[in-house]
Amino acid sequence: MAQGEFFGLLGPNGAGKSTTIGMLTTRVIPAGGQAFVYGIDVRAHPVEVKRHIGVVSQHNTLDRRLDVAENLEFRGRYFGMSAREARRRAGELLDLFNLGERRKAMVYELSGGQAQRLLIARALAHRPPLLFLDEPTAGIDPQTRLNLWETLRRLHAEGQTILLTTHYLEEAETLCERVAIIDHGQVLACDTVPALKKSVDADTVFTLTYADDSAPVAELAWRLPGVRRVESDGPQLRVFASGADGLLGELIAAGAQVGRTPRDAATLSPSLETVFLTLTGREYRE
């Protein structure tokens, strides 16, 4: 990834996202191969790597014995700042993340959104050029998520390089300039979001839901002009098409030939979710 880029790492459960992040942040020792952050070997020089990165994990790792400002000041001191410099940096971050009024609050007194902002602020205390965010909006309410998106957009606009993992595809589509989709430890695709959408080779996705198995309709759908791909998943039929004017009516007519009337029908443009499911499959992952 390039300096100043907002990069997304996506994949199903067990795909290797957390392992990848763990290796790049020195928390997981690679079993083989090499990994570098700013040209620094993560296995040979982990301490030096840590000086270049900030990490926000999936869990709240704030020190509950310290107040908000102290969490920031102690992080600065840990990275070699003087007491005065650490206090000044903490004040900057409190203002940047709108936590000034909560500076003396204990961690357990914070809302979920405030705690998440403090985690990101603490990760930036030593001014790292690269920020890792491992599912930063998991488990928070929609309003808090949108507010956090604005914070991340502002950080990125100011030049911060960010690597994000998330299960919210809308989040990646909204925030990231480029996205990599991985599964079973392999990179399946890596490109800008518009380019990934274009790779679906369709400008319209039809989703029809029937009371019975959609397979008989799928067999007929393949014969219709403009159809690029057909997926039958029990009662649900997905048809990927190019130049699809009038195709929905033809699909309904095809279903009528085999006794299938759709209970629901939707027409959408290809999304990042479409690309993700096409590459990784639709089966449930534990």
Side-chain angles (χ1 to χ4, degrees):
M1 58 185 293
Q3 181 67 33
E5 187 175 25
F6 204 136
F7 189 89
L9 186 62
L10 308 179
N13 290 332
K17 300 187 302 299
S18 294
T19 301
T20 300
I21 294 294
M23 289 189 294
L24 294 175
T25 58
T26 77
R27 293 182 291 113
V28 175
I29 299 175
Q34 292 179 298
F36 297 89
V37 174
Y38 287 100
I40 307 166
D41 189 315
V42 299
R43 181 187 292 180
H45 304 288
V47 174
E48 186 62 24
V49 168
K50 289 177 182 177
R51 297 184 185 279
H52 289 74
I53 64 173
V55 183
V56 178
S57 67
Q58 298 178 26
H59 308 291
N60 187 333
T61 58
L62 296 170
D63 194 326
R64 295 175 61 85
R65 296 167 297 180
L66 304 178
D67 64 30
V68 168
E70 289 171 338
N71 264 277
L72 298 175
E73 291 173 20
F74 275 52
R75 178 54 61 96
R77 296 286 283 160
Y78 177 80
F79 279 93
M81 294 181 186
S82 67
R84 177 180 295 180
E85 185 182 5
R87 283 196 299 271
R88 182 170 61 248
R89 178 59 175 160
E92 292 174 356
L93 292 167
L94 290 170
D95 290 340
L96 178 64
F97 286 87
N98 297 316
L99 290 169
E101 295 181 357
R102 305 292 285 162
R103 62 180 302 118
K104 291 302 180 183
M106 301 304 291
V107 168
Y108 54 80
E109 297 176 312
L110 301 178
S111 68
Q114 290 170 340
Q116 200 67 9
R117 294 205 305 275
L118 180 57
L119 281 165
I120 297 174
R122 189 184 65 171
L124 295 171
H126 58 297
R127 298 183 175 86
L130 174 57
L131 176 64
F132 287 90
L133 300 174
D134 195 3
E135 300 187 32
T137 61
I140 62 177
D141 62 80
Q143 290 85 355
T144 302
R145 180 177 297 122
L146 290 175
N147 287 331
L148 190 57
W149 285 4
E150 288 305 314
T151 298
L152 296 178
R153 285 194 186 98
R154 186 172 69 249
L155 284 174
H156 179 231
E158 293 171 356
Q160 181 66 53
T161 307
I162 302 174
L163 192 154
L164 168 79
T165 73
T166 179
H167 280 298
Y168 300 109
L169 299 181
E170 178 192 4
E171 184 165 270
E173 190 166 352
T174 299
L175 296 175
C176 298
E177 296 169 293
R178 281 197 307 145
V179 169
I181 299 174
I182 68 172
D183 200 7
H184 303 297
Q186 301 293 319
V187 176
L188 304 180
C190 181
D191 213 326
T192 64
V193 172
L196 288 173
K197 291 180 183 179
K198 190 175 180 179
S199 71
V200 174
D201 192 29
D203 53 36
T204 309
V205 181
F206 297 91
T207 302
L208 296 92
T209 304
Y210 302 89
D212 302 303
D213 186 19
S214 63
V217 190
E219 294 179 11
L220 297 175
W222 273 113
R223 306 172 190 174
L224 298 175
V227 171
R228 302 291 190 181
R229 189 169 76 254
V230 178
E231 296 179 356
S232 176
D233 183 13
Q236 192 170 79
L237 178 72
R238 285 174 293 274
V239 178
F240 299 77
S242 178
D245 289 345
L247 183 57
L248 179 58
E250 295 182 62
L251 288 169
I252 293 173
Q257 295 179 37
V258 290
R260 299 290 193 275
T261 300
R263 289 183 167 183
D264 185 56
T267 304
L268 299 170
S269 298
S271 64
L272 188 57
E273 180 179 9
T274 307
V275 179
F276 181 86
L277 294 175
T278 299
L279 291 171
T280 64
R282 298 175 182 270
E283 72 274 12
Y284 178 74
R285 307 283 185 93
E286 291 289 350

